[in-house]
Structures are given as structure tokens and as C-alpha cells.
């Protein structure tokens, strides 16, 4: 990753890049584009707050956001010193294996030093610190309070040449519309992206969509951590166990000596947002740990609900005719069920991929670049998409497909991984490394782990002649 404002890496034929949307995906895209273009413009409908507080334009800003370790590492590359800045602002640093208490369908997991650390913080603090860093980039500007109304085609209608923007003049209230031209337009406008409609207006076939909806809903509230509260954990994670166990919850520390409590339910078992109903939902979890922690804690916010949680993949990489000079990133291209906490880290991986592709195309013909990058982004999305949708298929009420035989096998295998992880620190560490995207999912199929899982599955299955043969074969391999 190139350092900030490294003008030597900018190609003279790459004059202006434009980003639609200034949420975390748009900010990170803009950050890497600033290394390669003479000018970068980020267009955002919202106005950024001047404090680390929730922003209206971020629908989930009132809820828990996980910054996985891989995402944290990429952010530190993009913004050196950001980790120390967040910690100085009060964000706790957690050792995942020892500071977090995890309750699964198999009980409490063993606590140990995993070597994996994460920053626990609110979305408002992360956005505020990243935006403040972005303001220090001299060749990047923000156009706030503005809405993109359409894409502009180039002269021969082979690509995108810019956008049409509408905004209100704050001085006199007048509405102004202007066309902004760019060498590259990046849509980071989120799940409500209008790009499919805009492309259709220009004669392109809009992308096909895959939607997998487990009908998950969650509700969140921030509490002040009681002064005299004593526990051997800093965060609690109570995992749901579908299809029967539809409820789960998280209690997570954030800056300001506060907790954020997030309750989730699958298959339309939505947590209530009224006081009594919310607390009763917490009490109904398979362990009383979260309820015991918050029942006497001081609430600092209302209870906020959220249900727009479906997985949505737009297949831009498969368009029969792809527009030059146009990219779609973040939730505008691929949105995951938020309960898995992958969004910010995937946005960071996208930015890293974009930066790599731009370096490879430096001072070269830009033709075909956008299609190539979109295909690379689809590769970035593939594993987290499979992880999220595979888990969501556990719920019998999920719409958008059914688990095939392979997915059912993976469910059985992952149950074996979780059961082992409850008491086996080696397996637990490997699971955490995969979850935080430090290692590929194939790491869970290392022969040493695979044999342990297979043996456990056989031992826990009803006996039959066929299973006895398999069991004997596994034991022979292990010996």
C-alpha cells in the first residue's frame, strides 16, 4: 500500500476519480484512489457530524460493528497510527480468546490467550476518525448534501464519463444541478444503489441479483458500564443455535466506559424495542449472563431496531456488456447479513484490491480495467458470501434457496469444529483466525483438525454397520 499523498504513483492520464457515497466503503475507495488520480471527489448526501456520534446516513450506526483483525490491519496500512488514535479516544483493546466469553450450542468455550486482538468501538468513532484523516488528503474533496441523479455516458456509449449531481445551496436554498466528469466513477452508495436503473437507462442490461433472506432482526441499546461491576470477561457473545435456537446476543465494550447490547433473532423472531420486551428477550437467551450484566446498568440510549438484513449479491462481474470506467463496491455490489460482522473488513479488502489493480495499470491503457477490477472484487466477495449464506440456510424460514447436500455437510462439519473449539485451544485458535480473515477457510480442513472432527462426528452418531466401518477406517488412519 502506498503512503498518503504519494504523487509519484499518480499517472498523468488519470486526472479525476469520483466516488458516489461517503460511508466506510466509499471513504476507503477514495483513500486508495487518491494515490493514483490527480483529483478525487466523494459525493455524499449526508453531512458528516463534527463529533464521533451516529450519522443519519448510516442506517446501522446505532448498532454494534465488528472490526475484524484483518480489516484492522488494512486500515492501519491506509491510515498509519489509526489504531493508537482509536485507543487514545477510549476504544478498548480486547484479546479475543481471553477477554471474550463465548457461549455456543455446545456450552461455554475455553478461555485462553489466542494472540488475536481487536479494537472495540462504536461505528461513530470509526467513521469520525477515518473522515478526519481523509480531510487531510490535499487532492481529495467532499461534495456534501449532494445526490447523484444519473450516470453520464461517454461519446461512443462504451462507458461512463461522469455523473449528474443535484444539491441544495445552503445560502439561499436554491436547487442546483451540475454534471461532473471523471476518468473513473465508483458507486459506493450502499444497498439502495440506483446503478442498475441508471445502467438500464443507458442501454445496459442490469445485473442479476441473488438474495438470501433469513429474516434476521436485531435491537441494540447502549448502557453505562456500572462502576463497581466485576467480571472476568470484557465482552459476551451468546450464539444462536438454529433451527431450534433462534435467539442470540452480544454485550460489547465501546469507548466512554460503555457497553452496547445487541440482541438478534432469526426466522422472524425479532427482538422487541420496548423496555419490557427487550429485557424479557435478553432474559430468554440460553444463558442469563447478559441479562445479569445489564439489568442494573444505566441505559444511555433508546432501543433501536433493524431488520434490513438480507444477503444481496449483484452480479456486475457477469454483465454481458460492461461499461468502461465504472466500478461498484461495498454494499452496492454485495451486502451480507450484518450479524456476521464482515462488512467493514470486506470494504477494506476491496480497497486493497482496487489499489493493487491500479498499480498494475499505472500509465497503461485504461480499456478493460473496470471489468477486470469488478471480477477481482467478485473474488473478494465469494468466501464471505458463502460463509454468511451457508449459516443463514440453517434457518428453515430462509428464502432465496435451500441448503444443498454440500452445505448440509458443511453444517455438520462446522458443528464439529465448534464442539471441539469449546475445549481445544488449537482448534479454537484456528477458528478465530479464519473468522477474523487472517487465514483462509481451508485452514479449518487441515488434516490434524479434519480427522478430529470426523472422529467426533462418527462417535456422536447413532451406531450402524456402515458407521462402524468408517469409524474403523478413521482410527486406522490416525494410528
Amino acid at each position: 500500500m502506498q503512503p498518503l499523498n504519494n504523487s509519484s504513483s499518480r499517472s498523468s492520464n488519470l486526472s479525476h476519480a469520483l466516488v458516489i457515497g461517503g460511508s466506510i466503503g466509499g471513504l476507503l475507495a477514495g483513500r486508495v484512489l487518491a494515490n493514483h488520480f490527480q483529483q478525487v471527489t466523494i459525493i455524499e448526501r449526508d453531512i458528516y457530524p463534527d463529533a464521533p456520534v451516529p450519522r443519519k446516513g448510516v442506517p446501522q450506526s446505532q448498532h454494534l460493528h465488528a472490526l475484524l483483525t484483518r480489516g484492522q490491519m488494512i486500515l492501519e496500512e491506509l491510515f498509519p497510527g489509526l489504531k493508537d488514535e482509536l485507543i487514545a479516544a477510549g476504544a478498548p483493546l480486547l484479546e479475543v480468546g481471553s477477554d471474550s466469553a463465548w457461549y455456543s450450542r455446545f456450552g461455554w468455550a475455553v478461555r485462553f490467550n489466542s494472540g488475536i486482538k481487536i479494537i472495540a468501538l462504536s461505528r461513530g468513532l470509526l467513521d469520525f476518525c477515518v473522515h478526519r484523516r481523509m480531510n487531510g488528503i490535499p487532492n481529495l474533496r467532499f461534495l456534501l448534501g449532494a445526490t447523484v441523479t444519473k450516470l453520464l455516458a461517454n461519446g461512443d456509449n462504451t462507458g461512463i464519463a461522469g455523473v449528474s449531481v443535484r444539491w441544495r445551496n445552503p445560502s439561499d436554498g436554491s436547487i442546483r444541478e451540475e454534471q461532473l466528469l471523471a476518468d473513473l466513477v465508483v458507486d459506493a452508495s450502499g444497498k439502495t444503489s440506483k446503478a442498475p436503473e441508471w445502467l438500464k437507462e443507458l442501454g445496459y442490461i442490469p445485473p442479476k441479483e441473488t438474495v438470501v433472506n433469513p429474516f434476521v432482526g436485531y435491537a441494540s441499546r447502549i448502557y453505562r458500564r456500572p462502576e463497581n461491576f466485576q467480571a472476568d470477561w470484557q465482552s459476551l457473545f451468546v450464539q444462536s443455535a438454529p433451527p431450534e435456537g433462534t435467539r442470540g446476543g452480544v454485550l460489547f465494550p465501546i469507548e466512554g466506559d460503555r457497553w452496547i447490547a445487541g440482541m438478534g433473532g432469526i426466522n422472524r423472531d425479532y427482538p422487541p424495542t420496548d423496555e419490557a420486551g427487550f429485557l424479557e428477550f435478553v432474559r430468554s437467551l440460553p444463558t442469563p449472563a447478559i441479562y445479569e450484566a445489564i439489568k442494573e446498568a444505566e441505559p444511555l440510549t433508546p432501543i433501536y431496531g433493524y431488520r434490513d438484513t438480507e444477503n444481496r449479491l449483484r452480479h456486475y462481474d457477469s454483465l454481458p456488456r460492461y461499461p468502461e470506467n465504472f466500478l461498484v463496491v461495498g454494499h452496492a455490489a454485495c451486502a451480507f447479513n450484518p450479524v456476521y460482522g464482515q462488512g467493514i473488513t470486506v470494504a477494506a479488502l476491496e480497497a486493497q484490491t482496487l489499489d493493487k489493480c491500479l498499480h498494475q495499470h499505472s500509465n497503461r491503457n485504461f480499456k478493460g480495467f473496470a471489468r477486470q477490477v469488478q471480477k477481482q472484487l467478485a473474488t473478494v466477495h465469494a468466501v464471505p458470501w458463502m460463509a454468511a449464506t451457508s449459516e443463514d440456510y440453517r434457518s428453515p424460514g430462509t428464502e432465496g434457496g435451500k441448503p444443498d447436500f454440500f452445505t448440509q455437510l458443511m453444517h455438520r462439519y462446522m458443528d464439529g469444529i465448534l464442539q471441539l473449539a469449546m475445549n481445544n485451544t488449537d482448534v479454537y485458535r484456528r477458528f478465530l483466525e479464519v473468522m477474523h480473515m487472517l487465514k483462509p477457510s481451508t485452514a479449518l480442513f487441515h488434516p490434524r483438525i479434519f480427522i478430529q472432527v470426523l472422529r467426533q462426528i462418527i462417535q456422536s452418531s447413532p451406531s450402524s454397520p456402515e458407521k462402524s466401518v468408517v469409524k474403523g477406517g478413521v482410527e486406522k488412519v490416525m494410528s
Side-chain angles (χ1 to χ4, degrees), residues 43 141 143-147 149 164-170 173-180:
I43 302 172
R141 67 163 181 154
L143 188 57
L144 302 179
T147 301
T149 57
S164 184
V165 182
R166 179 187 299 135
W167 74 89
R168 184 181 298 275
N169 190 323
S174 61
I175 302 296
R176 180 180 176 185
E177 187 138 0
E178 182 179 348
Q179 293 185 344
L180 298 179

Side-chain angles (χ1 to χ4, degrees), residues 35-344:
N35 272 349
H36 302 274
F37 288 79
Q38 299 299 320
Q39 180 69 48
V40 177
T41 301
I42 297 179
I43 302 172
E44 169 57 44
R45 293 178 298 179
D46 207 3
I47 303 296
Y48 290 100
D50 56 4
V53 296
R55 179 162 68 88
K56 181 180 178 182
V58 182
Q60 297 182 65
S61 59
Q62 303 281 2
H63 301 278
L64 171 66
H65 283 76
L67 179 54
L68 304 181
T69 307
R70 180 75 179 279
Q72 179 180 300
M73 293 165 62
I74 298 174
L75 286 178
E76 187 66 19
E77 293 178 2
L78 292 170
F79 307 101
L82 178 63
K83 176 181 176 181
D84 290 340
E85 184 179 334
L86 294 170
I87 294 173
L93 186 64
L94 303 186
E95 209 294 325
V96 177
S98 58
D99 291 335
S100 299
W102 173 32
Y103 186 89
S104 79
R105 68 177 72 207
F106 302 108
W108 289 105
V110 62
R111 306 275 289 283
F112 74 112
N113 191 326
S114 67
I116 301 173
K117 295 183 179 181
I118 61 169
I119 301 173
L121 77 176
S122 68
R123 176 63 184 268
L125 177 62
L126 179 63
D127 284 358
F128 176 76
C129 290
V130 170
H131 177 249
R132 185 167 58 187
R133 289 293 194 95
M134 297 287 288
N135 276 331
I137 303 176
N139 63 320
L140 185 146
R141 67 163 181 154
F142 287 91
L143 188 57
L144 302 179
T147 301
V148 173
T149 57
K150 62 180 179 180
L151 299 173
L152 304 176
N154 59 9
D156 58 2
N157 199 31
T158 60
I160 305 304
V163 300
S164 184
V165 182
R166 179 187 299 135
W167 74 89
R168 184 181 298 275
N169 190 323
S171 60
D172 59 11
S174 61
I175 302 296
R176 180 180 176 185
E177 187 138 0
E178 182 179 348
Q179 293 185 344
L180 298 179
L181 302 182
D183 301 289
L184 180 67
V185 174
V186 178
D187 180 15
S189 58
K191 293 175 74 171
T192 59
S193 167
K194 301 295 183 184
E197 302 167 26
W198 294 336
L199 290 175
K200 187 176 182 180
E201 291 172 359
L202 296 177
Y204 294 89
I205 297 175
K208 295 181 180 179
E209 292 189 359
T210 301
V211 179
V212 177
N213 192 351
F215 297 97
V216 169
Y218 49 89
S220 303
R221 186 179 223 178
I222 292 178
Y223 292 85
R224 189 183 310 282
R225 188 178 186 275
E227 289 186 11
N228 299 322
F229 184 83
Q230 297 292 328
D232 64 350
W233 48 260
Q234 290 198 54
S235 67
L236 285 171
F237 175 36
V238 180
Q239 187 178 8
S240 60
E244 294 83 9
T246 58
R247 298 183 174 187
V250 179
L251 188 63
F252 209 64
I254 59 174
E255 71 278 2
D257 205 24
R258 297 175 296 167
W259 282 331
I260 182 167
M263 301 301 119
I266 65 175
N267 200 19
R268 296 184 173 88
D269 185 12
Y270 302 128
T273 55
D274 64 283
E275 184 83 22
F278 181 78
L279 287 176
E280 184 54 38
F281 190 97
V282 180
R283 192 202 298 264
S284 72
L285 297 181
T287 171
I290 297 180
Y291 177 77
E292 292 297 328
I294 68 170
K295 66 180 182 180
E296 303 296 336
E298 176 191 358
L300 298 178
T301 68
I303 302 165
Y304 296 97
Y306 190 81
R307 298 182 182 180
D308 186 16
T309 59
E310 77 277 3
N311 305 276
R312 182 178 299 274
L313 177 61
R314 296 185 173 110
H315 300 271
Y316 283 99
D317 59 302
S318 301
L319 287 181
R321 184 167 74 100
Y322 194 90
E324 300 284 355
N325 311 326
F326 181 64
L327 296 173
V328 186
V329 302
H331 286 178
C334 185
F336 311 97
N337 181 345
V339 300
Y340 303 116
Q342 302 176 111
I344 296 175

